[in-house]
Amino acid sequence: MFTPDSGASAGGSASGGSRPSSPGAADAVLPAVAMGGKVPFNRRVYMVVEVIDRPEEVDLLTQLCESLGWPVRLPLAQETSLAPPGDWAVRIVEARIRSVRDGAVQQAVATFDTLAQDAGVSANCRDATLVEPVHRPLIEWHLRGRRQSPTQHLRHATHLLTRTAGHDQAAGTVRLVRVPTSLDEPRLRRLARSRRSARTELSRHPLSGRELDVDRHVLTMPKTRVAWQTAAMLGLLFVAAMLILFGAGLWSAMGLDDPRVGAPVLLLMVTYVLVGAVLALRGTATHRAVPWILPLAAPLAVPLVPWLGTLVQRAYLSPFELELPPGKEGVGSILAGAWVLSVFLGTLFLPIAYLGWIRFLNSSVDARGSWMSWTFMLSVGTGLAIAFSLIVLLGAGQSGVADRRLAAQGKDIPEYFGLSADYVCVALPSGDTPYYGVRPPTDRPVISFGQTGDRIELWIPSARQKASLRLEDARIRVVPHLDSSCGTAE
């Protein structure tokens, strides 16, 4: 049975057998530097291939595989237990392809079979297994000079400016060392253990004039990288706070509705999310799928945006206990739907953008682990996107509560995403006119947001309740303001 090298993890097998690991094969096959202009690979599939033991057949197999950037080599000791007949030979082919993890083995085997059949090579794939490299997390430490007095600081600064004054030999970045660590431990314990390992590494490999001296040197994390990561975190918090304000409809309360203030803030938000998402997606299979995913996803916005807009309008009308009348799906509904959709997409891609910024600004490979994985970030983004979308609906409901309070005070209600209140005076022809809810007053205006078929729903500011009438049972007259006087409706 074929066994992958120890520097990789097996993920699947075409033959369905077990895949134990064997040490010693990690450095047997080096990655191909030049791919001949082909697409870079992100999956490796090791295949046990049997070929007729003739020089021309083996050479042809080698040439065909190497033309694809697939190295061919002899099996190492105990790497496979396959015992072919005497006229057959065994070779290990390292297929390098770009595909999803679950279909990598099948794609490699199918590609090899097609290549062998087209070239007429007497070769068969007997076993195949997916191999993925294991990334050792590293923590980087800098050995810096310890300046214990202001005189040392001043002398070093003068030396940097003039290059003539005395210079502290222990000043500046003296050494840089990276030590392996484990992501299973807590961060504080991991840092302490890596600090001790760094001191051991520095003392184990002394350099002339730069020996480790605890009195003159100190181990610190690289400040530049920490500063950039802190900036990425601050950007995440800033964009999240702005999205909360935008979703809750509080931009005007913060003065961000002014283009001179809101435009730079919006530009910073869009730049952080878009650039971070591109940094996270580049070099992945999703990045290559974006050119055809976006055109397919764009038509979904045609019915989705108006539907989201109706949800916002219904949330606004819920404090009035009124239903959304038909015919209100216009520009206001589209703007409300675009509001919800922009908050949802911005929040969905925000953790992904943070992942892209962190991996771009981190010069080492210690930015790994389950909390920095695509699955975790996408799950967090989906949860936050749903929560922030609910904030939009809650903000719409709070706007309805505020406008209902204005109406109860006798003040006019501003338009809200296409929903404009009509102030009407109602005249009932007789005292036994049927109605639902509260009897509409005839001496003061009431509020209506539109007709529903042959009925009209009203909201009575004085009673803070709703009423419903048939149009044929009452006479309606529109007035310009809520504090207008009502005469006889004609």
Side-chain angles (χ1 to χ4, degrees):
M1 193 63 193
F2 170 66
T3 305
D5 58 71
S6 62
S9 60
S13 177
S15 61
S18 61
R19 295 180 303 275
S21 299
S22 65
D27 300 329
V29 181
L30 297 178
V33 178
M35 297 294 294
K38 298 179 177 59
V39 178
F41 66 90
N42 64 348
R43 291 290 183 266
R44 296 185 299 164
V45 178
Y46 280 14
M47 296 185 292
V48 179
V49 176
E50 59 178 10
V51 60
I52 291 183
D53 194 7
R54 296 177 182 174
E56 62 274 11
E57 294 290 333
V58 177
D59 292 343
L60 181 56
L61 173 66
T62 303
Q63 292 176 8
L64 290 175
C65 292
E66 289 182 350
S67 65
L68 296 178
W70 296 1
V72 180
R73 59 176 173 84
L74 291 171
L76 302 176
Q78 299 181 354
E79 191 171 11
T80 178
S81 59
L82 179 64
D87 55 345
W88 289 80
V90 178
R91 293 293 186 270
I92 303 299
V93 178
E94 182 183 347
R96 304 184 175 191
I97 60 177
R98 173 170 288 276
S99 66
V100 294
R101 188 179 190 276
D102 294 336
V105 174
Q106 290 79 3
Q107 180 181 344
V109 175
T111 303
F112 177 81
D113 291 342
T114 303
L115 184 67
Q117 292 176 6
D118 293 344
V121 182
S122 300
N124 302 304
C125 177
R126 296 290 300 273
D127 188 15
T129 183
L130 176 65
V131 177
E132 293 182 313
V134 175
H135 300 282
R136 296 187 65 188
L138 305 175
I139 291 185
E140 183 176 293
W141 290 94
H142 286 184
L143 181 65
R144 296 182 178 273
R146 185 198 305 270
R147 306 186 188 93
Q148 300 179 348
S149 64
T151 305
Q152 292 179 334
H153 286 273
L154 181 60
R155 184 171 56 186
H156 179 64
T158 306
H159 171 74
L160 293 178
L161 293 176
T162 62
R163 298 291 182 177
T164 57
H167 173 56
D168 184 6
Q169 295 295 327
T173 300
V174 181
R175 292 281 293 277
L176 180 149
V177 63
R178 291 176 177 177
V179 293
T181 183
S182 175
L183 296 177
D184 298 333
E185 296 179 335
R187 176 173 176 80
L188 294 179
R189 182 180 298 176
R190 189 166 67 246
L191 290 177
R193 189 185 301 274
S194 64
R195 182 191 293 270
R196 292 194 297 268
S197 301
R199 295 178 66 90
T200 303
E201 292 291 335
L202 291 170
S203 59
R204 185 182 302 169
H205 306 287
L207 297 179
S208 176
R210 289 293 183 267
E211 291 80 6
L212 176 62
D213 188 350
V214 294
D215 296 330
R216 303 179 61 193
H217 298 84
V218 60
L219 279 171
T220 61
M221 295 291 289
K223 297 181 180 179
T224 304
R225 180 161 56 89
V226 174
W228 280 117
Q229 293 182 7
T230 303
M233 175 61 72
L234 293 178
L236 172 69
L237 299 178
F238 171 76
V239 176
M242 291 299 104
L243 283 174
I244 291 177
L245 295 178
F246 182 66
L250 299 177
W251 271 42
S252 57
M254 302 296 295
L256 297 175
D257 54 342
D258 187 357
R260 294 174 299 180
V261 180
V265 173
L266 184 62
L267 181 62
L268 289 176
M269 294 172 58
V270 173
T271 302
Y272 182 88
V273 174
L274 287 183
V275 176
V278 170
L279 292 175
L281 292 174
R282 65 175 183 174
T284 62
T286 306
H287 181 256
R288 300 183 179 278
V290 166
W292 60 268
I293 287 180
L294 291 181
L296 292 178
L300 297 177
V302 176
L304 181 61
V305 170
W307 178 73
L308 292 175
T310 57
L311 293 182
V312 175
Q313 292 176 337
R314 289 172 182 172
Y316 174 79
L317 291 177
S318 60
F320 294 95
E321 300 179 356
L322 301 177
E323 298 294 333
L324 180 66
K328 295 297 183 179
E329 299 84 1
V331 179
S333 177
I334 295 177
L335 292 178
W339 176 29
V340 182
L341 188 60
S342 61
V343 171
F344 182 88
L345 293 179
T347 312
L348 175 64
F349 285 100
L350 184 57
I352 299 176
Y354 175 71
L355 174 64
W357 281 113
I358 286 296
R359 289 187 174 178
F360 173 73
L361 298 173
N362 197 334
S363 58
S364 183
V365 294
D366 59 351
R368 300 182 186 274
S370 58
W371 71 277
M372 291 294 289
S373 64
W374 268 92
T375 303
F376 179 76
M377 288 298 179
L378 190 59
S379 302
V380 171
T382 303
L384 290 179
I386 296 175
F388 278 44
S389 300
L390 294 178
I391 291 178
V392 175
L393 299 180
L394 291 176
Q398 292 300 320
S399 298
V401 171
D403 289 350
R404 174 180 171 174
R405 191 178 300 112
L406 287 177
Q409 298 174 359
K411 299 179 181 179
D412 295 343
I413 301 176
E415 182 180 358
Y416 187 84
F417 287 108
L419 295 177
S420 56
D422 295 328
Y423 312 112
V424 298
C425 293
V426 181
L428 303 178
S430 60
D432 57 350
T433 301
Y435 61 89
Y436 294 94
V438 181
R439 180 182 178 87
T442 58
D443 58 342
R444 64 180 66 90
V446 294
I447 296 176
S448 170
F449 286 95
Q451 304 174 5
T452 304
D454 60 344
R455 305 191 66 85
I456 182 172
E457 291 188 347
L458 308 172
W459 191 76
I460 317 302
S462 58
R464 298 190 178 185
Q465 297 185 28
K466 69 174 183 178
S468 178
L469 293 169
R470 291 192 304 176
L471 293 175
E472 60 184 16
D473 294 338
R475 294 191 295 271
I476 306 297
R477 179 168 60 91
V478 179
V479 294
H481 302 287
L482 191 59
D483 56 354
S484 300
S485 60
C486 286
T488 302
E490 300 178 352

